[in-house]
Amino acid sequence: MKAHVTLLRSGGRLSVPDRPTMRAVGELSLTHLRISPDEPRTVPVLQLLGASGQELYEPKLTSVFVDTLKFSGLERVGNAWYAQEWRCELTP
């Protein structure tokens, strides 16, 4: 499903509402990935396929509106994990 995605956090902290961390357009895809090559288990990952290549680990759907979905989960930056929220505005 195609969406305009806005990242609402930076380093785990909420961004200023009029200056979100990132905006991108792409296809949303839910898959399962290994966190590291030596880890046998997989976790759910919401991916934004396209220009940004963003990933939201262990996504939870937190709100649903007519054309907008909001997810919370974790993002990985280097070896650190941070809280992240995505606002996804669906496009036809």
Side-chain angles (χ1 to χ4, degrees), residues 20-88:
T21 305
M22 186 207 79
R23 290 188 176 137
V25 178
E27 292 285 328
L28 291 176
S29 174
L30 183 63
T31 188
H32 280 76
L33 298 175
R34 288 192 171 115
I35 293 175
S36 66
D38 56 335
E39 177 69 38
R41 73 180 184 99
T42 61
V43 296
V45 179
L46 184 62
Q47 296 177 317
L48 180 62
L49 305 176
S52 69
Q54 293 289 321
E55 295 178 328
L56 186 66
Y57 291 83
E58 298 189 4
K60 307 280 189 279
L61 182 62
T62 58
S63 65
V64 177
F65 297 99
V66 174
D67 61 350
T68 304
L69 304 173
K70 190 172 174 186
F71 294 92
S72 67
L74 299 170
E75 72 175 339
R76 187 174 189 171
V77 179
N79 290 328
W81 292 90
Y82 296 100
Q84 183 56 271
E85 293 179 86
W86 286 11
R87 184 176 62 235
C88 305

